[in-house]
């Protein structure tokens, strides 16, 4: 499976009408996991790089519900850059994938859905350690 297949772009349905847009994301139906945690990142800007880690257990879906950002995703072999710029679209990031979010527009609100409760211990924050851990998996 290549990296774009491992980290697919998800397109959510628009239930909007003349009153406005409505996007619904049902855990384990519209995304591959039940949601245990939600967080969002805003007030970052184009000079900032966030993330720069991989998670041993957590899966994520990233959605820019307002504004734009980009996410650089790698499995240690391939790299893709996904532009997040619409509230109806997200990217799925499985466990053990390195990610870096950057190029935030001033109005960016990056919503993150996660499959786990927070556990700082499952983060790999050094890219070298990440590559070692990936190697050890194979
Ligand atoms: P960090 O992982 O550095 O954010 P990002 O990946 O967006 O760059 O998290 C910043 C701080 O917030 C860090 O001290 C850990 C804490 N944090 C939690 O306590 N719970 C969470 O769910 C998240 C994502 C972070």
């Amino acid at each position: 499976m290549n990296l774009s297949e491992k980290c697919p772009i998800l397109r959510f349905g628009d239930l909007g009408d003349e009153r406005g847009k409505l996007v619904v994301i049902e855990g384990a139906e519209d995304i591959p996991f039940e949601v245990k945690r939600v967080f969002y990142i805003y007030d970052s800007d184009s000079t900032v790089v966030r993330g720069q880690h991989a998670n041993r257990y957590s899966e994520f879906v990233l959605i820019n519900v307002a504004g734009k950002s980009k996410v650089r995703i790698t499995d240690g072999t391939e790299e893709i850059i996904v532009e997040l710029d619409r509230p109806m679209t997200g990217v799925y990031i499985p466990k053990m994938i390195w990610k870096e979010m950057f190029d935030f527009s001033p109005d960016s609100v990056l919503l993150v859905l996660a499959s786990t409760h927070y556990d700082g211990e499952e983060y790999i924050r050094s890219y070298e350690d990440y590559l070692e851990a990936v190697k050890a998996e194979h």
Side-chain angles (χ1 to χ4, degrees), residues 6-47:
K6 284 189 214 164
C7 303
I9 304 295
L10 307 175
R11 291 189 177 80
F12 308 116
D14 170 24
L15 303 178
D17 53 31
E18 63 288 346
R19 297 169 301 165
K21 306 275 193 208
L22 173 66
V23 180
V24 178
I25 303 169
E26 297 253 9
E29 290 187 13
D30 302 310
I31 62 173
F33 55 83
E34 294 284 6
V35 176
K36 284 224 175 128
R37 175 165 51 117
V38 173
F39 55 95
Y40 41 93
I41 294 165
Y42 64 100
D43 250 355
S44 290
D45 64 31
S46 60
T47 67

Side-chain angles (χ1 to χ4, degrees), residues 122-134:
E122 63 130 356
Y123 280 69
I124 304 174
R125 292 187 177 273
S126 139
Y127 190 63
E128 270 185 13
D129 292 350
Y130 170 67
L131 292 178
E132 285 298 315
V134 169

Side-chain angles (χ1 to χ4, degrees), residues 6-7 32-39 53-62 91-99 112-125 130 137:
K6 284 189 214 164
C7 303
F33 55 83
E34 294 284 6
V35 176
K36 284 224 175 128
R37 175 165 51 117
V38 173
F39 55 95
H53 46 57
N55 293 73
R56 289 187 184 276
Y57 309 114
S58 298
E59 303 163 66
F60 300 96
V61 169
L62 275 55
V91 61
Y92 169 63
I93 302 186
K95 64 183 179 173
M96 282 302 283
I97 295 286
W98 186 268
K99 56 211 171 296
V112 182
L113 311 177
S115 64
T116 59
H117 292 297
Y118 182 72
D119 171 12
E121 299 287 300
E122 63 130 356
Y123 280 69
I124 304 174
R125 292 187 177 273
Y130 170 67
E137 273 191 336

